[in-house]
Amino acid sequence: MENKNQVWYNLEQKMLLLSGAFIGLVFLYSVGFINWTIPCAFQHFFSMQCLGCGITEALKLAFNGNFQASLHSNPLVLILLSYLFLRIAYKLRIQLKQL
């Protein structure tokens, strides 16, 4: 049972690192340090917008403080930002307990 928990913990760490890297790149994009876009493969192949489309723009708008436009761009940004905030707070709490 312990091995199974370790596998999930490692997967969660990798996903958190990947999400953090994505959020970091979006933040750098929103403040103008980098200029890049990621084309949506779903939209390219199926000619329809997926649920994730607009999430980068929504995060950019949220980082700039325009939350209303961010929610209008993609309402899932609220869930993503909430999850990231709670995960960071949880990780900080664990780190502080270990000190």
Side-chain angles (χ1 to χ4, degrees):
M1 186 63 154
E2 190 65 33
N3 190 22
K4 186 177 181 182
N5 289 338
Q6 186 66 29
V7 170
W8 279 109
Y9 180 73
N10 288 337
L11 180 63
E12 183 181 21
Q13 280 184 326
K14 290 174 185 174
M15 290 302 294
L16 190 61
L17 181 66
L18 184 63
S19 299
F22 176 72
I23 297 298
L25 287 172
V26 170
F27 178 73
L28 290 174
Y29 173 72
S30 69
V31 295
F33 284 131
I34 58 175
N35 187 11
W36 60 280
T37 57
I38 300 172
C40 180
F42 188 86
Q43 189 173 12
H44 175 76
F45 289 115
F46 299 110
S47 300
M48 55 192 289
Q49 196 171 21
C50 68
L51 292 176
C53 284
I55 199 76
T56 304
E57 184 66 23
L59 284 172
K60 177 184 161 192
L61 291 168
F63 284 139
N64 288 330
N66 195 349
F67 294 106
Q68 186 175 7
S70 174
L71 288 173
H72 187 274
S73 178
N74 191 335
L76 293 176
V77 74
L78 182 64
I79 295 169
L80 179 64
L81 289 174
S82 301
Y83 172 76
L84 290 174
F85 175 75
L86 290 174
R87 290 305 301 165
I88 290 169
Y90 176 73
K91 293 289 185 181
L92 287 174
R93 182 174 157 235
I94 288 176
Q95 292 296 323
L96 290 174
K97 275 187 174 182
Q98 291 178 355
L99 295 176

